[in-house]
Amino acid sequence: VGDRVFLAIVNGSGASVTVTLSTSATLDGFAVAENAVAVAAGKTAFIGPIEPELYRGSDGLCAITYSAVTTVTVAALQF
């Protein structure tokens, strides 16, 4: 989690993969919706920046889930 942190997701599978970043933030008392990004088959996607105000959980990290992990490569990049 950081102002200049991005995720690079390479989907080497034959189907779309959904990457979901959990949010811990609220705005005016309402929970901010999770960020779900579909990465098409055979494509690369970049998600970010991973803003601390939105994505930092109580453990200081961002919870990320994937609809599938076979042939999916993920890297956290900081610029």
Side-chain angles (χ1 to χ4, degrees):
V1 177
D3 293 332
R4 299 176 308 149
V5 176
F6 293 77
L7 290 178
I9 298 100
V10 179
N11 182 4
S13 73
S16 179
V17 172
T18 301
V19 180
T20 304
L21 285 74
S22 294
T23 59
S24 58
T26 59
L27 180 62
D28 293 330
F30 296 98
V32 176
E34 294 182 337
N35 185 10
V37 177
V39 182
K43 299 295 181 179
T44 299
F46 292 90
I47 302 171
I50 311 299
E51 300 290 346
E53 303 81 30
L54 292 176
Y55 299 107
R56 180 178 288 141
S58 60
D59 59 1
L61 303 174
C62 175
I64 305 166
T65 57
Y66 308 90
S67 62
V69 293
T70 304
T71 66
V72 175
T73 304
V74 180
L77 309 170
Q78 186 171 23
F79 295 95

